[in-house]
Amino acid sequence: MLTFALSKGRILDDTRPLLRAAGIDVTEEAEHSRKLILATERADVRVLLVRASDVPTYVQHGGADLGIAGKDVLIEGDSTGLYEPLDLGIAKCRLMVAVPEATDYDALMRRGRRLRVATKYMDTARAHFAGKGVHIDLIKLYGSMELAPLVGMTDAIVDIVSSGATLKANHLKAVEKIADISARLIVNQAALKTKREAIMPIIESFARSVGAQR
Ligand code: ATP
Ligand code: MG
């Protein structure tokens, strides 16, 4: 049995054509079901539905053999035991620093006071500002990061941006790119050895789908 970890929402939506091409589309109404384990068209492959940020954890610890996770989640976490064979080129966005529209970011950086930053990407944000020699106070949030500067809680946020519409609606502007983000196929390194015959054709099918897209 092969177990594939996915998250509902954008990743599952964007991945379904790739799953279908590999002959492992989920046979149930995944979006509406409360089930956490879904059968696929193949009796020997099942899909786990977990939180986006939990996908690498399941694959790392052998709860799943393969998974699909955003690069944002992967760079934030520890990737021990994970093999990342493929950039799927879907769920593309950028990890950015954003500040209120009226903020002079360069002046803010020069001011010498510690910058207050809200994010759910604590390690990535810490590394980014450390690399620039900027001292920061980090505040951990789990969502709706845009709110923090609006209520004066922080000077900046670190979050993923795609169209920029959410920033705009909240009178924020992106000022610095930390990384380009897209969804990646990840594989448990031990499973790749013990279940190689089953896993390689799936990686190859995904690679063909990604190639055909481009
Ligand atoms: P939750 O919404 O359950 O709190 P989440 O925000 O991490 O968790 P999703 O919104 O499904 O979950 O995002 C999953 C992944 O999809 C992200 O880690 C990111 O890589 C990508 N992603 C999220 N939003 C966008 C977007 N607007 N455009 C492109 N990619 C996105
Ligand atoms: Mg989300």
Side-chain angles (χ1 to χ4, degrees):
M1 173 65 78
L2 272 187
T3 305
F4 212 122
L6 293 172
S7 58
K8 277 193 193 184
R10 180 169 299 268
I11 298 273
L12 180 61
D13 294 345
D14 291 8
T15 304
R16 285 193 73 169
L18 303 176
L19 291 173
R20 209 170 292 139
I24 49 177
D25 197 12
V26 289
T27 53
E28 289 154 85
E29 279 305 306
E31 286 297 327
H32 309 292
S33 166
R34 302 169 81 105
K35 280 195 186 164
L36 301 177
I37 303 183
L38 303 177
T40 72
E41 295 166 336
R42 271 172 57 174
D44 61 332
V45 182
R46 62 181 180 172
V47 166
L48 304 186
L49 293 179
V50 302
R51 283 293 289 266
S53 48
D54 289 337
V55 168
T57 310
Y58 275 87
V59 177
Q60 242 167 355
H61 297 284
D65 302 302
L66 307 106
I68 293 174
K71 189 68 179 173
D72 51 328
V73 170
L74 291 169
I75 57 180
E76 177 66 13
D78 152 41
S79 58
T80 314
L82 285 183
Y83 171 54
E84 189 189 307
L86 213 53
D87 181 345
L88 300 176
I90 56 173
K92 281 188 179 177
C93 51
R94 285 150 289 140
L95 191 63
M96 306 280 297
V97 180
V99 297
E101 274 162 8
T103 296
D104 179 344
Y105 186 59
D106 292 329
L108 185 68
M109 300 286 269
R110 280 195 309 267
R111 139 196 102 158
R113 247 205 298 137
R114 294 170 74 87
L115 195 71
R116 294 168 307 160
V117 181
T119 189
K120 70 173 174 184
Y121 303 100
M122 298 289 278
D123 294 343
T124 308
R126 194 178 289 112
H128 172 72
F129 287 104
K132 295 166 60 79
V134 174
H135 295 285
I136 58 167
D137 287 320
L138 273 176
I139 296 180
K140 166 94 187 186
L141 290 176
Y142 292 89
S144 302
M145 266 71 83
E146 300 82 12
L147 256 181
L150 293 187
V151 295
M153 191 163 80
T154 67
D155 305 299
I157 62 171
V158 168
D159 198 8
I160 51 172
V161 178
S162 52
S163 68
T166 308
L167 290 183
K168 196 153 186 240
N170 291 292
H171 306 290
L172 300 174
K173 61 181 179 186
V175 287
E176 231 167 37
K177 184 169 82 176
I178 298 178
D180 285 309
I181 304 298
S182 55
R184 309 299 167 99
L185 182 66
I186 54 174
V187 183
N188 176 284
Q189 279 175 357
L192 185 62
K193 295 202 183 91
T194 57
K195 303 183 184 177
R196 191 172 183 87
E197 282 88 284
I199 290 175
M200 282 314 291
I202 293 178
I203 298 178
E204 283 156 13
S205 171
F206 272 62
R208 277 193 302 276
S209 297
V210 170
Q213 240 169 233
R214 288 187 178 138

